[in-house]
Amino acid sequence: MEESWSSKIVNPYVKSWITEFINLATPDNVYVCSGSNEEYDQIASKLVASGSLLPLNPEKKFHSFLARSDARDVARVEKKTFICAVNKEDVGPTNNWEDPEVMRLKLSNLFNGCMKGRTLYVVPFCMANLKSPFALIGIELTDSPYVVCSMKIMTRMGSEVLDELGETNNFIKCHHSVGQPLLNGQKDVQWPCNPEKLVIAHFHDDLSIWSYGSGYGGNALLGKKSVSLRIASYKAKNEGWLAEHMLIIGVTNPEKKKKYFAAAFPSACGKTNLAMLKSTLPGWKVECIGDDIAWLRFGSNGKLYAVNPEYGFFGVAPGTSAKTNPNALKACEKNSIFTNVALTNDGDVWWEGLTECPPANLIDWQGNLWIKEKGLPAAHPNSRFTVPLSQCPVLDPLWDSPEGVPISAIIFGGRRKDTIPLVLESLSWRHGVFMGAGMSSETTSAVEDVDVVIRHDPFAMLPFCGYNMADYFRHWLALPDIGNDVNLPKIFGVNWFRKDNQGKYLWPGFGDNIRVLEWIFNRTEEFSEKSAIRTPVGFVPSRDFFNLSGLQLTNSDFKALFEIKSNEWLDEIHSIKNYFEIFGEHFPPALSKELNRIELELK
Ligand code: GTP
Ligand code: SPV
Ligand code: MN
């Protein structure tokens, strides 16, 4: 067994790292992934044979599968996500901290023998184009074949990555186990996991990641949140760039002029939808580069350039329909893995919002006949599709560009029923950073869907910033000093979710969000003095410069969408002020100044 895996690994650092890990986790077999399509099919077939994957009807969803997770393993678990550094201060008040030595001891106990009865897969992957100056190589050691298949879709995975790595030790060490060893020939379950012992740890000292107990999403596909946000943001701070929870789009106007925007919204607040927007305005076009993560660096011309480090979409299924996001539906017609959606009796998938009426004889996400009257959803609210980026019908021609695309606007957004207008433009870079730092968003409790709680989520990075968030604010404030001949993007805020007194959304959203993009586009041009009105909290559109053609929006709705109410904003500022206090001495005074300015102007 040993010869076969070690003959595929020439890099001495990788070899000794794997050897050490084998001694700890004691898998029965070791397999080095080549990343080929044949290999994907072989692993998927094994998962089908064991009942972990269900092949869908190829006439409905070609070469695609349904996975049903354990009901206790359905989403990221923030409470069990840790950043480990010697000083608690380096991690800040928004992260769970653990001492590296304490955590290493805990992990060595957890991982001891954890792969008994299983195969250890060695998954070499690269975030961003292999030839890009942004590229970051990782190797994930995992005992989950579902993770292997997902990593093949979500990252550039396989032998070329090892070739590119050569003999260097410049790679992120990712360790992952579902935490359920199979002892004495014990039979496997459909979705092995160990939720009671779940832990996802990130280390500042060697940038390694250790994830135990979950097979789901960001907990287990370590290239995504763990490498590309938590570890990357920490590296970015030290190296003068940014790793952000942002989509990237190209926007073309009727004159065929094109600009690129990046937008940060918290989880389940509309990134995938905006990333694939189908314009309702003639002549305007949006093309997609990424829907979740952006890495941004200054080019030699002083502009910020962005790449999407990912290779696939891991998108929220519920709510995705021919009306809201036709491009996502097209993307997942083939070569897709669906997790925790419902199954139709002709071997297709279904989720809430896909069609108005659910089809008859649905099997719910847990594999039982769905009974509508019980009032439970057929698909889990966090059910997802995993599809290759290349299948997006509106993929931007520069999606794989090693240098990335120049960003003209950065957009922050959240889900807020009041206070925040449809769109705002920051008054300055510093005010823009304040807008990001002061972001908050509603989280609807997944099942009951009643309690609306607002949580502060700076830059939509609350669960993903790999170091002290206040130092992250400082990093953003310092960007004008990092870029030479600085040509920074303008910063905007958006809110698609403002409601009227009856609790109805004031804004149609989705394809009509192009109207907001149009205004932003035009505001990034030079000729823009008349198109906005200055308020203490930013510029809002002048009515004549905001395109409402073809929309049935009343005067009072327009007013309600854009209104800045001083009483609401004073409450908002008060809440932000209280929140900022958790950061103590790390907090940058520039943001306090900005806050005081707004407060004074509002009074
Ligand atoms: P993550 O993948 O978790 O990071 O989520 P995301 O930010 O990509 O969110 P996504 O685009 O998947 O949207 C989440 C939910 O918001 C879905 O139920 C959408 O239907 C809904 N949504 C997205 N855009 C709009 C909009 O413009 N208006 C309204 N009302 N709902 C929207
Ligand atoms: C998010 O929660 O922001 C996601 C899904 O994109 S996961 O990859 O599971 O983190
Ligand atoms: Mn996300």
Side-chain angles (χ1 to χ4, degrees):
M1 163 190 106
E2 200 134 309
E3 286 78 27
S4 62
W5 78 263
S6 61
S7 66
K8 289 189 187 153
I9 304 281
V10 285
N11 183 310
Y13 299 102
V14 179
K15 206 174 237 178
S16 65
W17 170 59
I18 296 176
T19 306
E20 201 182 317
F21 187 77
I22 291 172
N23 290 336
L24 173 66
T26 63
D28 283 11
N29 300 294
V30 181
Y31 177 82
V32 180
C33 296
S34 72
S36 72
N37 294 336
E38 296 71 36
E39 174 186 274
Y40 176 91
D41 288 341
Q42 275 165 17
I43 297 174
S45 303
K46 272 194 204 157
L47 283 164
V48 169
S50 70
S52 292
L53 281 186
L54 214 105
L56 295 166
N57 179 349
E59 283 172 22
K60 301 287 176 185
K61 295 283 180 290
F62 182 74
H63 191 234
S64 299
F65 304 94
L66 167 63
R68 293 188 188 119
S69 81
D70 186 297
R72 301 164 300 166
D73 189 21
V74 293
R76 277 187 298 106
V77 182
E78 294 179 12
K79 279 195 233 97
K80 303 290 174 67
T81 301
F82 294 86
I83 309 289
C84 307
V86 176
N87 299 315
K88 191 172 178 184
E89 231 183 289
D90 293 341
V91 155
T94 60
N95 280 308
N96 299 312
W97 171 82
E98 187 52 273
D99 179 86
E101 265 185 52
V102 173
M103 182 57 87
R104 285 208 160 92
L105 187 64
K106 181 177 172 167
L107 289 166
S108 62
N109 287 326
L110 282 174
F111 276 80
N112 189 7
C114 72
M115 294 192 179
K116 255 196 186 71
R118 296 192 183 275
T119 296
L120 162 64
Y121 296 87
V122 177
V123 184
F125 63 93
C126 183
M127 301 315 293
N129 183 312
L130 221 53
K131 298 295 170 204
S132 168
F134 289 86
L136 209 56
I137 288 176
I139 302 178
E140 179 162 347
L141 305 181
T142 179
D143 55 8
S144 163
Y146 165 86
V147 165
V148 177
C149 291
S150 304
M151 287 292 283
K152 155 90 172 154
I153 297 176
M154 294 302 297
T155 70
R156 293 154 176 93
M157 186 265 256
S159 327
E160 319 85 74
V161 177
L162 288 178
D163 296 344
E164 188 68 27
L165 182 64
E167 307 252 316
T168 70
N169 68 349
N170 199 10
F171 65 99
I172 310 283
K173 299 183 175 76
C174 307
H175 316 77
H176 171 251
S177 174
V178 293
Q180 213 182 97
L182 297 169
L183 308 170
N184 312 320
Q186 185 186 340
K187 205 176 162 308
D188 204 0
V189 294
Q190 188 180 305
W191 183 280
C193 60
N194 193 344
E196 284 80 37
K197 294 190 177 164
L198 196 136
V199 53
I200 304 154
H202 308 72
F203 290 85
H204 273 191
D205 51 14
D206 65 354
L207 305 183
S208 69
I209 300 155
W210 293 74
S211 164
Y212 183 93
S214 166
Y216 201 90
N219 298 334
L221 315 178
L222 299 183
K224 197 173 175 59
K225 306 303 186 180
S226 287
V227 169
S228 297
L229 288 176
R230 297 194 191 99
I231 295 296
S233 64
Y234 177 60
K235 271 174 77 70
K237 158 79 175 161
N238 296 330
E239 297 165 8
W241 52 286
L242 296 166
E244 300 297 329
H245 191 200
M246 289 179 179
L247 64 92
I248 309 166
I249 47 177
V251 182
T252 307
N253 76 1
E255 288 74 48
K256 304 276 177 284
K257 185 163 186 180
K258 187 163 189 177
K259 290 172 185 269
Y260 296 93
F261 301 166
F265 309 163
S267 303
C269 285
K271 286 184 302 303
T272 303
N273 279 271
L274 186 61
M276 299 185 196
L277 180 147
K278 191 174 167 215
S279 167
T280 57
L281 288 180
W284 285 85
K285 185 169 76 175
V286 171
E287 287 163 294
C288 176
I289 291 176
D291 80 324
D292 200 48
I293 300 178
W295 286 351
L296 303 114
R297 266 170 213 263
F298 287 105
S300 50
N301 60 2
K303 285 194 175 167
L304 261 189
Y305 283 76
V307 299
N308 169 16
E310 301 194 273
Y311 206 48
F313 302 108
F314 184 61
V316 177
T320 308
S321 75
K323 269 194 210 136
T324 58
N325 195 348
N327 291 321
L329 279 192
K330 279 204 200 92
C332 55
E333 276 170 0
K334 56 184 179 185
N335 309 320
S336 305
I337 300 175
F338 297 88
T339 305
N340 288 345
V341 301
L343 179 70
T344 69
N345 64 3
D346 56 355
D348 201 350
V349 292
W350 191 84
W351 48 75
E352 276 64 26
L354 177 61
T355 54
E356 249 167 67
C357 291
N361 307 318
L362 272 180
I363 305 294
D364 73 14
W365 65 278
Q366 290 181 281
N368 304 314
L369 187 69
W370 183 61
I371 299 164
K372 191 180 175 187
E373 289 66 34
K374 285 193 178 167
L376 295 172
H380 188 278
N382 191 41
S383 56
R384 302 250 170 185
F385 51 80
T386 310
V387 307
L389 220 62
S390 62
Q391 289 181 194
C392 174
V394 292
L395 200 59
D396 191 273
L398 290 181
W399 72 276
D400 201 23
S401 154
E403 297 77 33
V405 294
I407 297 297
S408 303
I410 288 173
I411 305 169
F412 296 122
R415 188 183 280 268
R416 294 290 300 272
K417 68 175 181 346
D418 53 34
T419 316
I420 316 291
L422 182 62
V423 57
L424 269 179
E425 178 187 329
S426 67
L427 302 173
S428 63
W429 181 261
R430 187 171 89 174
H431 177 231
V433 175
F434 174 85
M435 279 167 57
M439 274 170 72
S440 49
S441 192
E442 284 151 21
T443 54
T444 52
S445 66
V447 190
E448 285 95 341
D449 205 28
V450 267
D451 297 6
V452 174
V453 183
I454 296 179
R455 85 163 176 178
H456 289 277
D457 188 350
F459 293 79
M461 283 288 279
L462 183 71
F464 309 123
C465 182
Y467 60 102
N468 191 313
M469 183 71 88
D471 295 333
Y472 169 93
F473 298 158
R474 286 174 183 262
H475 184 42
W476 267 83
L477 286 165
L479 285 192
D481 309 325
I482 298 178
N484 55 335
D485 179 31
V486 179
N487 204 343
L488 286 167
K490 284 196 167 184
I491 298 179
F492 297 83
V494 298
N495 176 25
W496 314 144
F497 302 95
R498 203 162 182 176
K499 290 182 173 172
D500 65 15
N501 295 335
Q502 278 77 51
K504 211 180 114 257
Y505 287 123
L506 283 160
W507 181 244
F510 302 105
D512 280 312
N513 291 333
I514 189 68
R515 298 165 191 276
V516 176
L517 298 181
E518 178 190 21
W519 186 76
I520 291 175
F521 190 108
N522 292 336
R523 291 291 296 172
T524 61
E525 301 277 316
E526 254 112 294
F527 57 87
S528 57
E529 283 98 30
K530 277 187 257 156
S531 58
I533 302 154
R534 189 194 179 282
T535 79
V537 297
F539 294 106
V540 291
S542 325
R543 176 147 196 166
D544 292 345
F545 286 81
F546 192 85
N547 191 342
L548 292 171
S549 63
L551 259 196
Q552 262 115 35
L553 202 71
T554 62
N555 267 336
S556 70
D557 279 354
F558 184 86
K559 191 167 163 264
L561 264 174
F562 290 100
E563 195 171 24
I564 307 292
K565 293 187 184 163
S566 334
N567 60 330
E568 282 183 352
W569 270 98
L570 281 167
D571 288 349
E572 181 80 8
I573 293 296
H574 187 72
S575 161
I576 294 173
K577 194 182 219 167
N578 278 340
Y579 179 66
F580 283 171
E581 272 169 20
I582 65 172
F583 298 107
E585 281 179 5
H586 279 252
F587 194 73
L591 292 186
S592 305
K593 278 194 198 139
E594 197 59 37
L595 189 134
N596 293 336
R597 176 197 62 78
I598 298 173
E599 195 172 21
L600 263 177
E601 281 194 44
L602 282 169
K603 275 180 180 163

